[in-house]
mmCIF file of all heavy atoms in Angstrom:
data_model
loop_
_atom_site.group_PDB
_atom_site.id
_atom_site.type_symbol
_atom_site.label_atom_id
_atom_site.label_comp_id
_atom_site.label_asym_id
_atom_site.label_seq_id
_atom_site.Cartn_x
_atom_site.Cartn_y
_atom_site.Cartn_z
ATOM 1 N N LEU A 235 118.398 97.635 110.170
ATOM 2 C CA LEU A 235 117.872 96.998 108.903
ATOM 3 C C LEU A 235 117.233 98.070 108.069
ATOM 4 O O LEU A 235 116.283 98.654 108.525
ATOM 5 C CB LEU A 235 116.906 95.888 109.252
ATOM 6 C CG LEU A 235 116.301 95.074 107.886
ATOM 7 C CD1 LEU A 235 117.315 94.274 107.329
ATOM 8 C CD2 LEU A 235 115.110 94.306 108.455
ATOM 9 N N ALA A 236 117.719 98.232 106.841
ATOM 10 C CA ALA A 236 117.169 99.301 105.998
ATOM 11 C C ALA A 236 116.379 98.651 104.912
ATOM 12 O O ALA A 236 116.954 97.894 104.127
ATOM 13 C CB ALA A 236 118.351 100.138 105.362
ATOM 14 N N GLN A 237 115.047 98.913 104.899
ATOM 15 C CA GLN A 237 114.336 99.725 105.738
ATOM 16 C C GLN A 237 113.153 98.919 106.364
ATOM 17 O O GLN A 237 113.244 97.653 106.445
ATOM 18 C CB GLN A 237 113.788 100.965 105.090
ATOM 19 C CG GLN A 237 114.874 101.905 104.608
ATOM 20 C CD GLN A 237 114.392 103.178 104.006
ATOM 21 O OE1 GLN A 237 113.233 103.605 104.216
ATOM 22 N NE2 GLN A 237 115.211 103.815 103.133
ATOM 23 N N LEU A 238 112.217 99.563 107.011
ATOM 24 C CA LEU A 238 111.206 98.864 107.764
ATOM 25 C C LEU A 238 109.904 98.437 107.041
ATOM 26 O O LEU A 238 109.413 97.338 107.172
ATOM 27 C CB LEU A 238 110.792 99.661 108.919
ATOM 28 C CG LEU A 238 109.876 99.110 110.141
ATOM 29 C CD1 LEU A 238 110.413 97.805 110.707
ATOM 30 C CD2 LEU A 238 109.591 100.095 111.196
ATOM 31 N N VAL A 239 109.404 99.359 106.213
ATOM 32 C CA VAL A 239 108.226 99.014 105.524
ATOM 33 C C VAL A 239 108.341 99.514 104.050
ATOM 34 O O VAL A 239 108.706 100.677 103.719
ATOM 35 C CB VAL A 239 107.006 99.916 106.127
ATOM 36 C CG1 VAL A 239 105.632 99.547 105.531
ATOM 37 C CG2 VAL A 239 106.862 99.729 107.625
ATOM 38 N N ASN A 240 107.905 98.532 103.196
ATOM 39 C CA ASN A 240 107.772 98.752 101.722
ATOM 40 C C ASN A 240 109.122 98.945 100.960
ATOM 41 O O ASN A 240 109.384 98.368 99.857
ATOM 42 C CB ASN A 240 106.861 99.848 101.347
ATOM 43 C CG ASN A 240 105.379 99.554 101.727
ATOM 44 O OD1 ASN A 240 105.021 98.409 101.688
ATOM 45 N ND2 ASN A 240 104.525 100.589 102.016
ATOM 46 N N VAL A 241 109.928 99.923 101.539
ATOM 47 C CA VAL A 241 111.231 100.105 100.774
ATOM 48 C C VAL A 241 112.314 99.158 101.330
ATOM 49 O O VAL A 241 112.688 99.263 102.407
ATOM 50 C CB VAL A 241 111.657 101.526 101.038
ATOM 51 C CG1 VAL A 241 112.959 101.797 100.437
ATOM 52 C CG2 VAL A 241 110.656 102.537 100.522
ATOM 53 N N ILE A 242 112.693 98.243 100.372
ATOM 54 C CA ILE A 242 113.651 97.172 100.800
ATOM 55 C C ILE A 242 113.355 96.766 102.217
ATOM 56 O O ILE A 242 114.222 96.891 103.130
ATOM 57 C CB ILE A 242 115.082 97.519 100.570
ATOM 58 C CG1 ILE A 242 115.478 98.988 101.134
ATOM 59 C CG2 ILE A 242 115.401 97.532 99.039
ATOM 60 C CD1 ILE A 242 116.970 99.290 101.083
ATOM 61 N N ALA A 243 112.260 96.246 102.543
ATOM 62 C CA ALA A 243 111.722 96.010 103.836
ATOM 63 C C ALA A 243 111.123 94.725 104.198
ATOM 64 O O ALA A 243 110.606 93.990 103.222
ATOM 65 C CB ALA A 243 110.639 97.090 104.218
ATOM 66 N N PRO A 244 111.111 94.262 105.446
ATOM 67 C CA PRO A 244 110.508 93.038 105.850
ATOM 68 C C PRO A 244 108.931 92.974 105.800
ATOM 69 O O PRO A 244 108.268 92.092 105.857
ATOM 70 C CB PRO A 244 111.039 92.766 107.315
ATOM 71 C CG PRO A 244 111.233 94.269 107.815
ATOM 72 C CD PRO A 244 111.730 94.874 106.635
ATOM 73 N N ILE A 245 108.440 94.210 105.918
ATOM 74 C CA ILE A 245 106.812 94.462 105.963
ATOM 75 C C ILE A 245 106.428 95.084 104.656
ATOM 76 O O ILE A 245 107.025 96.078 104.252
ATOM 77 C CB ILE A 245 106.444 95.320 107.047
ATOM 78 C CG1 ILE A 245 106.861 94.596 108.430
ATOM 79 C CG2 ILE A 245 105.015 95.620 107.068
ATOM 80 C CD1 ILE A 245 106.632 95.425 109.642
ATOM 81 N N PHE A 246 105.476 94.607 103.881
ATOM 82 C CA PHE A 246 105.132 95.135 102.685
ATOM 83 C C PHE A 246 103.573 95.338 102.679
ATOM 84 O O PHE A 246 102.827 94.443 103.121
ATOM 85 C CB PHE A 246 105.377 94.213 101.485
ATOM 86 C CG PHE A 246 105.555 94.729 100.178
ATOM 87 C CD1 PHE A 246 106.592 95.308 99.729
ATOM 88 C CD2 PHE A 246 104.300 94.737 99.360
ATOM 89 C CE1 PHE A 246 106.723 95.886 98.462
ATOM 90 C CE2 PHE A 246 104.289 95.431 98.116
ATOM 91 C CZ PHE A 246 105.505 96.065 97.789
ATOM 92 N N THR A 247 103.202 96.566 102.267
ATOM 93 C CA THR A 247 101.720 96.822 102.315
ATOM 94 C C THR A 247 101.170 97.255 100.896
ATOM 95 O O THR A 247 102.041 97.536 100.022
ATOM 96 C CB THR A 247 101.457 98.007 103.224
ATOM 97 O OG1 THR A 247 101.899 99.303 102.578
ATOM 98 C CG2 THR A 247 102.128 97.941 104.560
ATOM 99 N N GLN A 248 99.894 97.115 100.794
ATOM 100 C CA GLN A 248 99.242 97.659 99.571
ATOM 101 C C GLN A 248 98.529 98.963 99.937
ATOM 102 O O GLN A 248 97.891 99.004 101.029
ATOM 103 C CB GLN A 248 98.209 96.674 99.115
ATOM 104 C CG GLN A 248 97.531 96.941 97.777
ATOM 105 C CD GLN A 248 96.562 95.966 97.382
ATOM 106 O OE1 GLN A 248 95.723 95.464 98.117
ATOM 107 N NE2 GLN A 248 96.738 95.459 96.092
ATOM 108 N N THR A 249 98.821 100.037 99.299
ATOM 109 C CA THR A 249 98.079 101.286 99.590
ATOM 110 C C THR A 249 96.595 101.105 99.538
ATOM 111 O O THR A 249 96.128 100.660 98.541
ATOM 112 C CB THR A 249 98.503 102.419 98.588
ATOM 113 O OG1 THR A 249 100.113 102.595 98.817
ATOM 114 C CG2 THR A 249 97.815 103.684 98.970
ATOM 115 N N GLY A 250 95.936 101.345 100.711
ATOM 116 C CA GLY A 250 94.400 101.129 100.758
ATOM 117 C C GLY A 250 94.068 99.725 100.842
ATOM 118 O O GLY A 250 92.854 99.386 101.042
ATOM 119 N N GLY A 251 95.077 98.687 101.007
ATOM 120 C CA GLY A 251 94.848 97.365 101.077
ATOM 121 C C GLY A 251 95.548 96.589 102.099
ATOM 122 O O GLY A 251 95.662 97.066 103.221
ATOM 123 N N GLY A 252 95.982 95.427 101.746
ATOM 124 C CA GLY A 252 96.478 94.387 102.655
ATOM 125 C C GLY A 252 98.033 94.569 103.055
ATOM 126 O O GLY A 252 98.665 95.602 102.778
ATOM 127 N N ILE A 253 98.469 93.530 103.683
ATOM 128 C CA ILE A 253 99.815 93.506 104.263
ATOM 129 C C ILE A 253 100.307 92.093 104.275
ATOM 130 O O ILE A 253 99.652 91.177 104.440
ATOM 131 C CB ILE A 253 99.829 94.208 105.576
ATOM 132 C CG1 ILE A 253 101.241 94.437 106.113
ATOM 133 C CG2 ILE A 253 99.093 93.304 106.673
ATOM 134 C CD1 ILE A 253 101.336 95.313 107.398
ATOM 135 N N PHE A 254 101.704 91.944 104.063
ATOM 136 C CA PHE A 254 102.185 90.587 104.253
ATOM 137 C C PHE A 254 103.748 90.733 104.770
ATOM 138 O O PHE A 254 104.343 91.744 104.714
ATOM 139 C CB PHE A 254 102.047 89.710 102.975
ATOM 140 C CG PHE A 254 103.119 90.173 101.941
ATOM 141 C CD1 PHE A 254 104.406 89.563 101.882
ATOM 142 C CD2 PHE A 254 102.739 90.988 100.924
ATOM 143 C CE1 PHE A 254 105.297 90.002 100.793
ATOM 144 C CE2 PHE A 254 103.536 91.325 99.862
ATOM 145 C CZ PHE A 254 104.937 90.803 99.842
ATOM 146 N N LYS A 255 104.133 89.564 105.371
ATOM 147 C CA LYS A 255 105.483 89.404 105.941
ATOM 148 C C LYS A 255 106.381 88.796 104.744
ATOM 149 O O LYS A 255 106.089 87.781 104.293
ATOM 150 C CB LYS A 255 105.458 88.626 107.103
ATOM 151 C CG LYS A 255 104.732 89.089 108.357
ATOM 152 C CD LYS A 255 104.654 88.072 109.380
ATOM 153 C CE LYS A 255 103.803 88.584 110.538
ATOM 154 N NZ LYS A 255 103.665 87.542 111.711
ATOM 155 N N GLN A 256 107.414 89.655 104.572
ATOM 156 C CA GLN A 256 108.398 89.138 103.477
ATOM 157 C C GLN A 256 109.184 87.963 104.119
ATOM 158 O O GLN A 256 109.208 87.779 105.292
ATOM 159 C CB GLN A 256 109.370 90.297 103.190
ATOM 160 C CG GLN A 256 108.617 91.365 102.340
ATOM 161 C CD GLN A 256 109.091 91.622 100.941
ATOM 162 O OE1 GLN A 256 109.308 90.683 100.238
ATOM 163 N NE2 GLN A 256 109.465 92.814 100.614
ATOM 164 N N THR A 257 109.977 87.327 103.322
ATOM 165 C CA THR A 257 110.792 86.176 103.771
ATOM 166 C C THR A 257 111.646 86.577 104.813
ATOM 167 O O THR A 257 112.073 85.908 105.791
ATOM 168 C CB THR A 257 111.439 85.537 102.669
ATOM 169 O OG1 THR A 257 112.396 86.462 102.013
ATOM 170 C CG2 THR A 257 110.482 84.948 101.556
ATOM 171 N N ILE A 258 112.282 87.734 104.677
ATOM 172 C CA ILE A 258 113.333 88.226 105.597
ATOM 173 C C ILE A 258 112.831 88.707 106.957
ATOM 174 O O ILE A 258 113.562 88.910 107.956
ATOM 175 C CB ILE A 258 114.141 89.429 105.064
ATOM 176 C CG1 ILE A 258 113.318 90.720 104.859
ATOM 177 C CG2 ILE A 258 114.800 89.053 103.692
ATOM 178 C CD1 ILE A 258 114.026 91.965 104.524
ATOM 179 N N PHE A 259 111.452 88.662 107.051
ATOM 180 C CA PHE A 259 110.813 89.032 108.275
ATOM 181 C C PHE A 259 111.183 88.141 109.415
ATOM 182 O O PHE A 259 111.379 88.525 110.564
ATOM 183 C CB PHE A 259 109.366 89.113 108.102
ATOM 184 C CG PHE A 259 108.540 89.540 109.445
ATOM 185 C CD1 PHE A 259 108.081 90.808 109.394
ATOM 186 C CD2 PHE A 259 108.198 88.664 110.381
ATOM 187 C CE1 PHE A 259 107.247 91.290 110.542
ATOM 188 C CE2 PHE A 259 107.449 89.012 111.439
ATOM 189 C CZ PHE A 259 106.882 90.412 111.562
ATOM 190 N N TYR A 260 111.138 86.823 109.094
ATOM 191 C CA TYR A 260 111.358 85.874 110.118
ATOM 192 C C TYR A 260 112.676 85.697 110.716
ATOM 193 O O TYR A 260 112.767 85.576 112.035
ATOM 194 C CB TYR A 260 110.897 84.525 109.541
ATOM 195 C CG TYR A 260 109.379 84.637 109.075
ATOM 196 C CD1 TYR A 260 109.130 84.679 107.721
ATOM 197 C CD2 TYR A 260 108.315 84.694 110.016
ATOM 198 C CE1 TYR A 260 107.771 84.805 107.378
ATOM 199 C CE2 TYR A 260 107.053 84.764 109.540
ATOM 200 C CZ TYR A 260 106.731 84.730 108.289
ATOM 201 O OH TYR A 260 105.423 84.923 107.828
ATOM 202 N N PRO A 261 113.796 85.655 110.110
ATOM 203 C CA PRO A 261 115.095 85.681 110.818
ATOM 204 C C PRO A 261 115.344 86.843 111.819
ATOM 205 O O PRO A 261 115.745 86.671 112.881
ATOM 206 C CB PRO A 261 116.115 85.680 109.659
ATOM 207 C CG PRO A 261 115.405 85.079 108.610
ATOM 208 C CD PRO A 261 114.004 85.556 108.674
#
């Protein structure tokens, strides 16, 4: 799955901050 974090990814972070699971994370 391309890719893993932030760049077209299921995991999304804020630099210096939080994190959340994108919708595609769950399947």
Side-chain angles (χ1 to χ4, degrees):
L235 177 72
Q237 296 187 17
L238 186 57
V239 185
N240 291 332
V241 177
I242 51 172
I245 299 170
F246 201 87
T247 72
Q248 183 178 51
T249 301
I253 189 170
F254 72 88
K255 298 174 181 178
Q256 295 240 48
T257 61
I258 66 171
F259 183 98
Y260 298 105

